[in-house]
Amino acid sequence: MKRRCKNVSIFDRALIERAVRACMQPGKKRRRRDTVAFFADLMDCRLDEAREFLVARDGRYDKAVERVVELLRKEMMEYRLRIGKVYMQRRRDGSNGKIRKISILHIKQLLLDHVAVVALEEALGRMGEYQCSGFVGKGAHYGARAVRRWLRGEAPRYAVQMDIAHYFESIDHERLMAYLERLVKNEDLLWLIRRLIGTCERGLHVGSYLSQTLANLYLSGLYHEVGERMRARNGERLVEHVLFYMDDLLLVGTNRRHLQQAGVKVVEYAAELGLSIKPGWRVFRVGRKNEAGGQPVDMMGFRFFRNVVTVRRRIFRRGRRALLRVLRCVRERRQVPVSLARRCVTYKGYFDFSDCARFLAAVRARFVFRVAAMRVSLSERMI
């Protein structure tokens, strides 16, 4: 394995500034209390003044960024990071109803996470083409377009869906660092990563930018093993197409027996990484909608049939409810609550990609999404 990131310096001011500005992109992060307090203390000003320049992004914000860069650079050069306490919070995942344990990281650790990821960019070239989670331009829609394309045609399509049990919690720090040491030739960067993941007693933080990057990178070896090196005795590839959506794995092919063999090998390879695949996986035939004997691929919030793509039922119900509530506010000439507008906007991608044109026309979805987007945009500009 070729080692990378040899000529990258985590002490470079330009690299740190790029990471800080990326971390502080418009969103909830800049309105958090600990973020405002951190910048207020750094700039020796009142909380309301810090909140003002974080939203306005004026000259005071640029000066604050310069001070943050100098602070992070100094602490890294001294190999002495002062990171705030990590808080844990349980949240329900709206797409599947699962209760997840989310790490609420201090803004300083979030900034350092971005520094580490920017420094790792050269190593991220090892990622598989269809590892579709956590990267700009390679999200759920990128993967969904690929799955829709793979399921077309007259030949039968078989699939295997697998899920890694408690993936983030199962990643062993020493195994992960041993893998990174084979991939990255940069002692300072490795020290920073080890220090940041060390704030989690077990596994990786759920909700951390660095964690999701490392989690994808750790599985890249399995991706290439499945997609490129797994062969039958006659030399044929066992899997025609493979897609990883973080810890959700999808294998697609036209040979049921080959997919079964590939599934067994995936379980064995995952065990070598210290991971376990949830039991109960099986090979199934992907059918058309309302066709007997077939079933859809249920992944990334969508249900993929051979002929159509629909939204997962739970997501569809929640999205429809949000659309109708915004529409009701408009008809009654009431202001749309910001929380409702944000919730509505999050479902736009699901409905735009799926085959539900008649439903969207019935609820005037294009108009509703435009109203919700304008409400969110206005709230972001308000101080």
Side-chain angles (χ1 to χ4, degrees), residues 192-220:
L192 177 61
I193 294 173
R194 183 182 292 275
R195 178 69 177 84
L196 292 173
I197 67 175
T199 60
C200 186
E201 295 181 2
R202 178 184 176 188
L204 299 178
H205 292 293
V206 178
S208 161
Y209 185 44
L210 176 62
S211 292
Q212 70 177 20
T213 303
L214 294 178
N216 276 311
L217 194 58
Y218 193 51
L219 281 183
S220 61

Side-chain angles (χ1 to χ4, degrees), residues 96-145:
N96 52 30
K98 295 180 180 177
I99 302 296
R100 300 193 183 278
K101 193 175 181 181
I102 307 296
S103 300
I104 309 299
L105 305 180
H106 188 270
I107 182 60
K108 200 169 180 182
Q109 181 160 352
L110 296 176
L111 293 166
L112 290 167
D113 277 359
H114 277 73
V115 172
V117 173
V118 171
L120 272 173
E121 280 183 346
E122 185 181 340
L124 298 182
R126 178 171 170 73
M127 302 292 299
E129 181 180 1
Y130 293 107
Q131 284 188 266
C132 304
S133 177
F135 299 98
V136 177
K138 292 185 65 176
H141 285 187
Y142 180 84
R145 282 191 291 269

Side-chain angles (χ1 to χ4, degrees), residues 188-350:
D188 294 329
L189 177 55
L190 291 172
W191 166 81
L192 177 61
I193 294 173
R194 183 182 292 275
R195 178 69 177 84
L196 292 173
I197 67 175
T199 60
C200 186
E201 295 181 2
R202 178 184 176 188
L204 299 178
H205 292 293
V206 178
S208 161
Y209 185 44
L210 176 62
S211 292
Q212 70 177 20
T213 303
L214 294 178
N216 276 311
L217 194 58
Y218 193 51
L219 281 183
S220 61
L222 175 58
Y223 177 92
H224 292 295
E225 180 71 21
V226 176
E228 301 165 10
R229 293 187 285 273
M230 283 188 180
R231 302 277 177 173
R233 290 183 179 179
N234 58 5
E236 293 182 11
R237 289 174 54 185
L238 296 180
V239 177
E240 293 185 15
H241 305 288
V242 55
L243 183 144
F244 286 13
Y245 190 67
M246 194 54 76
D247 57 349
D248 292 332
L249 320 181
L250 173 66
L251 316 180
V252 178
T254 57
N255 189 310
R256 181 190 289 268
R257 183 169 54 83
H258 283 177
L259 282 179
Q260 182 67 33
Q261 295 174 12
V264 173
K265 291 188 176 183
V266 167
V267 174
E268 295 173 352
Y269 192 99
E272 295 177 8
L273 298 176
L275 308 173
S276 60
I277 302 294
K278 290 182 180 179
W281 63 270
R282 62 185 181 84
V283 181
F284 61 90
R285 183 174 66 84
V286 183
R288 292 176 170 81
K289 191 172 176 63
N290 300 324
E291 177 187 15
Q295 69 180 79
V297 172
D298 191 334
M299 197 174 190
M300 298 175 288
F302 299 101
R303 302 177 77 226
F304 299 91
F305 297 87
R306 295 290 297 276
N307 54 339
V308 298
V309 177
T310 62
V311 182
R312 188 178 290 164
R313 288 188 179 95
R314 178 189 292 270
I315 297 175
F316 180 82
R317 288 195 296 265
R318 294 166 69 96
R320 178 182 60 188
R321 192 178 301 124
L323 281 167
L324 294 177
R325 286 177 178 173
V326 172
L327 189 60
R328 188 181 304 119
C329 289
V330 173
R331 287 174 176 171
E332 296 175 359
R333 298 185 179 180
R334 292 187 289 111
Q335 187 178 57
V336 179
V338 177
S339 59
L340 176 60
R342 287 199 178 103
R343 194 183 319 144
C344 184
V345 169
T346 60
Y347 293 106
K348 184 178 186 299
Y350 290 108

